[in-house]
Amino acid sequence: MEAILLVGGQGTRLRPLTISTPKPLLPTAGVAFLAHQLARAQAAGVDRIVFATSYRAEMFEAAFGTHAHGVDLAYVSEAEPLGTGGAIRNAARALTCDPDEPVLILNGDILSGHDVTAQVALHEKSSAAVTLHLTRVEDPSRFGCVPTDPDGRVAAFLEKTPHPVTDQINAGCYVFRRSAIDTIPEHEVVSVERETFPSLISSGAVVMGYVETAYWLDVGTPQAFVQGSRDLVLGKIASSAMPGEPGERLTLHGAIVSPGAVVRGGTTVGRGAEVEPGATVIGSVLQDGAFVAEGATVRDSVVGRGARVGAGAVLDGVILGDGAMVGPGNELRDGLRLWPGIALPPTAVRFSTDA
Ligand code: GDD
Ligand code: MG
């Protein structure tokens, strides 16, 4: 089976990490995020993937070439982003399958443990134009809300509605009959969520929902990105692309973790990164060359390439851009993001813990 992977978004919610690297290529549990998706697609019977690129398009081919994780790869780039539907239509130029064959379409920022083979089987059995993987989340207003009939047919598609009618949402993995892709207008900006799905449904085409609530995560926010990496390292979602066994931490080549440091909770320690004695790192991503000094605490955070956390500093739910520096004694929390190269001086004021 052939697939199209949508990877053209700018990943704005993940800045500053996505300034230098597109979201799908961010190092996640030791490899580019997409490596996990490629490995899972291969396991589901996909043997060829067309990347629909736009933002920093050249970096994808440089990262994966023409064959990776058992899958042949092709690249189609949009000069100006065409939206999710326009990107699918544009990338379909590079497909080789027949009009009646199923094509898998994947959002490029999803970690999913669902059974793709069962989704394709439902698609074939229903002779559907499109079959969407649907899952359930606590806050459906941030996603595409997708109610279905008792027979599993999609009744409506409501993208990011403030008043969701169900907690069932679009999980960002579709099976399209090849000929259904050809109904999307060419050379135009089109949203598959706001235009293609609603118009297919209103035209009476068979659009099916494949509901499965396996492990599922959109890694598009800083908090979710850190969680995805942590869950992969801990083995909460299996990935054959991970360079190591699941466990409390993944330590990459050339990393130095002092025996006097505590590093756990699914932390990744990147190549050449260093954690000094007395430091504590929990559930975090230390990118290549990052440095955590003695007595510092890093939790649920990303420390960018070559970024430094000074002695005794505390980071909790923070993103440090590449090369950023947090001077000794600083305390940063809850969604704070430091841009590349920013240096915070050491704090002059010291707080006593029992004050
Ligand atoms: N090539 C290309 N061109 N790709 C694009 C473009 C574009 O113009 N715009 C977005 N993409 C890619 C992104 O790179 C990403 O992989 C995917 O399309 C989805 O875009 P996001 O920006 O991550 O969308 P979202 O998370 O807000 O919402 C989408 O995903 C949800 C599930 O996580 C929608 O499909 C929702 O309906 C869905 O619930
Ligand atoms: Mg997303």
Side-chain angles (χ1 to χ4, degrees), residues 206-298:
V206 179
V207 179
M208 294 297 293
Y210 170 76
V211 185
E212 188 184 334
T213 54
Y215 180 98
W216 184 86
L217 187 69
D218 173 331
V219 301
T221 64
Q223 212 187 2
F225 174 73
V226 180
Q227 189 192 333
S229 182
R230 185 166 62 220
D231 288 349
L232 282 159
V233 173
L234 289 170
K236 288 188 182 173
I237 170 134
S239 172
S240 62
M242 199 169 79
E245 291 305 309
E248 283 294 315
R249 71 187 196 210
L250 176 67
T251 309
L252 300 177
H253 184 72
I256 304 169
V257 176
S258 161
V262 174
V263 179
R264 58 180 175 79
T267 293
T268 302
V269 187
R271 288 165 198 80
E274 185 174 350
V275 185
E276 286 198 334
T280 303
V281 184
I282 298 176
S284 294
V285 181
L286 307 182
Q287 292 189 346
D288 294 354
F291 177 78
V292 181
E294 56 178 336
T297 301
V298 177

Side-chain angles (χ1 to χ4, degrees), residues 76-239:
V76 177
S77 185
E78 300 140 46
E80 292 296 325
L82 288 173
T84 46
I88 294 169
R89 178 71 166 100
N90 189 50
R93 287 187 285 139
L95 295 173
T96 61
C97 63
D98 293 334
D100 280 338
E101 287 194 74
V103 178
L104 195 68
I105 316 267
L106 300 161
N107 282 357
D109 59 352
I110 303 291
L111 266 183
S112 178
H114 83 285
D115 185 346
V116 175
T117 309
Q119 183 184 352
V120 176
L122 174 69
H123 177 81
E124 299 285 3
K125 195 182 92 191
S126 326
S127 302
V130 185
T131 303
L132 285 69
H133 172 213
L134 307 179
T135 188
R136 295 199 164 83
V137 293
E138 260 172 40
D139 179 10
S141 66
R142 294 167 43 222
F143 300 98
C145 172
V146 189
T148 43
D149 294 344
D151 61 2
R153 246 178 107 152
V154 170
F157 194 108
L158 311 158
E159 180 69 5
K160 300 193 180 116
T161 167
H163 307 293
V165 295
T166 164
D167 63 354
Q168 200 170 266
I169 61 129
N170 168 28
C173 173
Y174 325 124
V175 184
F176 265 74
R177 191 191 302 146
R178 164 87 199 254
S179 55
I181 298 179
D182 298 332
T183 65
I184 302 172
E186 228 179 336
H187 311 303
E188 275 178 37
V189 176
V190 180
S191 162
V192 80
E193 297 89 351
R194 294 179 195 276
E195 298 167 71
T196 311
F197 292 144
S199 81
L200 280 168
I201 295 162
S202 65
S203 73
V206 179
V207 179
M208 294 297 293
Y210 170 76
V211 185
E212 188 184 334
T213 54
Y215 180 98
W216 184 86
L217 187 69
D218 173 331
V219 301
T221 64
Q223 212 187 2
F225 174 73
V226 180
Q227 189 192 333
S229 182
R230 185 166 62 220
D231 288 349
L232 282 159
V233 173
L234 289 170
K236 288 188 182 173
I237 170 134
S239 172

Side-chain angles (χ1 to χ4, degrees), residues 19-51:
I19 294 173
S20 56
T21 309
K23 170 165 70 172
L25 295 182
L26 286 175
T28 314
V31 287
F33 178 78
L34 279 187
H36 303 293
Q37 277 191 312
L38 296 186
R40 295 198 73 93
Q42 194 273 341
V46 171
D47 55 9
R48 185 163 179 275
I49 298 184
V50 181
F51 282 49

